[in-house]
Amino acid sequence: IYLCIASIWTINPISAFLEALSFVRFPVFASAIAYWLLQSPKNHERLKLSLIFFTIFACMDVIIQYIIGVDLIGRHAELVPIDASLFNPELVWNTSAMRRLTGLSNKWNIAGKLIMIMIPTMTLCALHFTQSNRYQHKLMALSVIALMAISSPITVERTPIVLIVICTLLPNLF
């Protein structure tokens, strides 16, 4: 609604209003998911597991791109030669220059996308860690949290690191 109202003061109000109108789909999708999918506890568990597995996949993709220079899809990090591949042993541990990673995106903004999926996943893992009585479940939750804590800083972005520090320290203040 804010974007629709703010489009009045833009250079091209009609184009800006039509662009802002496209963001209405997100609350519609959220309400549809809440109505159709999240009615049963079984679907809640499926959604939690799919979020955790996707986060693990995205974090592993970033770590592989950091180590080798190419991610699982074949996208190259910044300053990595075009002939690089997952099977090129000369690139392993080539960290001579800090390079910006792309991860699952084709842009240089993977850190923000990682943080958007990491915060709910870290919350789920921390909740599972505190509520579970089994040692294996606690170990798995800690390893997923450690994987997320490693994959975010290696993207060489400042904002996710600051967000993780703030999210870690904020609950301790209150």
Side-chain angles (χ1 to χ4, degrees), residues 28-49:
V28 172
F29 290 157
S31 62
I33 285 175
Y35 180 74
W36 289 323
L37 297 178
L38 299 180
Q39 293 294 328
S40 71
K42 187 176 181 181
N43 287 339
H44 277 269
E45 291 301 317
R46 287 181 183 162
L47 184 64
K48 288 177 190 176
L49 282 176

Side-chain angles (χ1 to χ4, degrees), residues 51-72:
L51 177 68
I52 290 171
F53 285 133
F54 177 74
T55 305
I56 290 171
F57 176 76
C59 291
M60 289 302 297
D61 186 59
V62 166
I63 290 171
I64 287 172
Q65 190 178 35
Y66 177 76
I67 293 171
I68 298 175
V70 180
D71 69 349
L72 296 172

